[in-house]
Amino acid sequence: MAAMTEPEFVPWEQREGWTDVKPIPQAETENPLVPINYSPAYVSAMSAFRYILQQEELSKRVLELTAEIVKINPAHYTVWAYRGKTLLALKDSEPDGEQILVQELGLLDALVKVHLKNYQVWQHRRAIVLALNDSSRELGFTTRALAFDSKNYHTWAYRQWVFSHFYEKPDAEDYQKSCDDELEFTRHLLTADMRNNSAWNHRFFVVFRRTNAANEEVIQREIDFTKGKLDQVPNNASAWNYLRGILEHFNMPFADHLEWARTIRSPVDPEAPVMLAVEFVADALSETRAKESLQEAISLYEKLADEIDPMRDNYWHFKRRSAEATLAA
């Protein structure tokens, strides 16, 4: 069987429908210090793009050209910006303008799989969705993207934007359902990985972004949910931070959970204290400002510095000195 050969490269100005283009090469000094060895395909595409840019052309063929460039260099923000400008112009000038934007989302569906950490791809998608004013496919899209990387910052930031812009409207009929769906989504992710800090962060965003929307029942539900996760994985910094975040957000005393925190032990060694639980206990004791409690807190900070977490001994000594200052006051 004969080996397949790559199709012969044809410069853009020689292609059908592009013969009017006068390529503008990249401006270079006569002897550049560090010349970049661009591929012929990229050089030709960019030379054609500079001409298009100079002519301020906003046409369907611009989409063909810019698609070729961003596939080679997906971080080229100037090309993305001009592509977006072209798409918005076509939306208003072409009979199938909205369908062109829908097709653009299809292209981005494919690109995001390999460019999850590319700022331009996400920003471009946001502009298209805003132009369509339709978020119906976006939560499903981010769910699929998170299947590739469940902790990707760009995906989570985009999902939070979609939720807050389109769904976080208390007067909307589907608002509560949207919240419930997001909580179920985070529950699913935290069941798979209880240390997924991004999922914890998103859960806090959904539940507590609007402080007055969280009643006592909701707050208690989240505290119980977090304690349940900590009972399973005690040394889980994400869950401890979530619990602390709830208590601090609503000015609730740590001391109310002091006895529970004292019971947290390592599942591997029931005699071994869990560092994060010891810290919580010490902070809860310091919070009471009672003499005996402060003395116990000082002792725990010393234990953290000398035995449990000597890597951060300076921090624990600082906490000890703060408790001592409170005791002396």
Side-chain angles (χ1 to χ4, degrees):
M1 182 177 178
M4 294 183 64
T5 58
E6 290 289 327
E8 183 180 352
F9 168 70
V10 179
W12 280 85
E13 67 274 13
Q14 296 178 19
R15 301 182 188 186
E16 184 178 353
W18 291 87
T19 53
D20 62 304
V21 169
K22 299 176 177 59
I24 300 176
Q26 179 170 299
E28 292 279 14
T29 60
E30 186 174 341
N31 294 299
L33 182 62
V34 185
I36 300 175
N37 188 24
Y38 295 116
S39 69
Y42 187 70
V43 170
S44 175
M46 283 303 301
S47 296
F49 176 72
R50 293 185 194 97
Y51 175 80
I52 292 294
L53 197 61
Q54 185 184 75
Q55 302 302 309
E56 299 183 357
E57 179 180 331
L58 302 171
S59 64
K60 287 185 177 181
R61 74 174 185 172
V62 172
L63 301 183
E64 180 188 356
L65 174 62
T66 54
E68 180 83 7
I69 295 172
V70 297
K71 286 177 182 177
I72 301 173
N73 180 8
H76 203 310
Y77 54 84
T78 302
V79 175
W80 277 114
Y82 198 75
R83 182 179 180 85
K85 183 178 180 180
T86 302
L87 284 162
L88 297 182
L90 293 175
K91 174 181 178 292
D92 296 331
S93 63
E94 296 291 330
D96 60 342
E98 290 217 358
Q99 186 56 36
I100 291 173
L101 296 190
V102 173
Q103 292 172 355
E104 185 73 0
L105 291 180
L107 170 67
L108 294 171
D109 284 352
L111 280 178
V112 78
K113 297 176 185 178
V114 288
H115 300 300
L116 275 173
K117 297 183 179 181
N118 181 289
Y119 289 94
Q120 287 75 28
V121 171
W122 291 104
Q123 181 61 31
H124 185 71
R125 188 177 186 102
R126 174 172 170 167
I128 300 304
V129 171
L130 281 173
L132 288 168
N133 194 31
D134 179 8
S135 65
S136 58
R137 60 190 285 170
E138 297 312 287
L139 292 179
F141 164 72
T142 56
T143 296
R144 294 190 298 275
L146 287 168
F148 293 100
D149 181 355
S150 64
K151 301 175 184 179
N152 181 258
Y153 165 78
H154 302 284
T155 312
W156 281 111
Y158 183 78
R159 190 179 182 101
Q160 289 189 353
W161 170 74
V162 170
F163 180 79
S164 61
H165 186 82
F166 290 99
Y167 299 97
E168 193 184 45
K169 299 174 182 176
D171 56 338
E173 293 181 5
D174 59 349
Y175 171 68
Q176 190 56 51
K177 181 181 183 305
S178 299
C179 290
D180 293 342
D181 288 347
E182 288 300 282
L183 294 185
E184 178 59 22
F185 178 63
T186 60
R187 186 201 65 77
H188 171 74
L189 289 177
L190 291 171
T191 298
D193 178 7
M194 279 181 274
R195 291 185 173 86
N196 188 335
N197 189 59
S198 298
W200 283 107
N201 175 70
H202 188 67
R203 189 177 182 94
F204 196 94
F205 175 88
V206 172
V207 179
F208 300 116
R209 178 174 162 85
R210 293 170 53 251
T211 303
N212 58 0
N215 55 36
E216 291 185 11
E217 181 181 352
V218 169
I219 294 169
Q220 191 58 50
R221 179 198 69 198
E222 292 304 298
I223 289 174
D224 292 342
F225 174 82
T226 311
K227 284 182 174 180
K229 296 299 182 185
L230 286 168
D231 287 337
Q232 296 176 59
V233 184
N235 208 9
N236 180 355
S238 297
W240 283 107
N241 286 337
Y242 191 81
L243 177 60
R244 284 173 172 270
I246 296 172
L247 301 180
E248 291 173 0
H249 194 62
F250 293 99
N251 295 314
M252 301 171 70
F254 283 26
D256 288 351
H257 309 276
L258 180 57
E259 296 311 313
W260 164 80
R262 288 186 188 277
T263 67
I264 302 299
R265 292 289 184 273
S266 168
V268 178
D269 181 2
E271 299 300 318
V274 174
M275 185 269 289
L276 293 166
V278 175
E279 179 184 11
F280 187 93
V281 169
D283 289 348
L285 290 166
S286 296
E287 178 187 82
T288 67
R289 307 179 78 86
K291 180 179 179 180
E292 290 184 359
S293 295
L294 284 167
Q295 289 173 336
E296 184 182 353
I298 290 168
S299 176
L300 289 175
Y301 289 134
E302 289 176 344
K303 187 173 183 180
L304 283 162
D306 299 337
E307 302 174 25
I308 301 175
D309 186 27
M311 182 68 72
R312 295 193 295 163
D313 61 332
N314 286 336
Y315 173 70
W316 301 124
H317 287 314
F318 164 76
K319 299 278 283 187
R320 172 183 57 77
R321 289 193 299 271
S322 296
E324 288 174 339
T326 303
L327 183 61

